[in-house]
Amino acid sequence: MEQIAFVTGADRGLGLALCAGLLEQGWRVFAGQFMPDWPELATLFGQHPDHLTLVPLDVASAESARAAAQTVGETVDHLDLLINNAGVFRSEAAWTEDGLDVRFAVNTFAPMLLPDRLIPLL
């Protein structure tokens, strides 16, 4: 049976490396992509087009998490692994229009959004 993973924060750094490692081991990977213009994830997709699916994802957006989970659920019948890697660090305060600190929204609230929607697949 095919092993299937979803990795958030896959655009660069640890998330990108985790995607690459899973792909090298034969996994099918859904990669949560926040920065579509970032080149490394596109390069990885070019190397693994049959096993890597890029999924637009802003982990701090409930609507984006819902859409990402829907995309996965319409494509596969299960997930074996969720790596909730997305995070943000900024040395200066980064407030949103709603008054939430971006760091708080992404690092504290967001890690609950996508897993909640993916539970039926896990």
Side-chain angles (χ1 to χ4, degrees):
M1 178 181 260
E2 182 178 45
Q3 292 182 298
I4 306 169
F6 192 114
V7 179
T8 69
D11 297 292
R12 59 184 179 178
L14 182 59
L16 181 66
L18 289 165
C19 287
L22 288 166
L23 289 163
E24 288 173 13
Q25 293 178 26
W27 286 65
R28 179 170 186 179
V29 178
F30 289 87
Q33 181 180 42
F34 181 66
M35 301 178 294
D37 295 332
W38 202 262
E40 285 85 353
L41 190 55
T43 299
L44 188 62
F45 175 75
Q47 297 167 353
H48 302 276
D50 296 332
H51 290 94
L52 179 61
T53 302
L54 306 183
V55 180
L57 178 62
D58 175 352
V59 296
S61 163
E63 178 58 29
S64 182
R66 185 204 56 75
Q70 182 176 344
T71 296
V72 175
E74 290 173 351
T75 308
V76 297
D77 64 354
H78 75 281
L79 282 175
D80 298 293
L81 178 66
L82 169 62
I83 300 176
N84 215 0
N85 168 72
V88 65
F89 172 79
R90 295 186 181 160
S91 58
E92 74 282 351
W95 296 94
T96 66
E97 291 177 10
D98 296 328
L100 287 176
D101 184 323
V102 171
R103 294 167 297 187
F104 178 78
V106 172
N107 298 335
T108 305
F109 176 64
M112 296 180 283
L113 290 175
L114 187 62
D116 184 56
R117 285 154 180 81
L118 291 175
I119 285 173
L121 296 173
L122 290 167

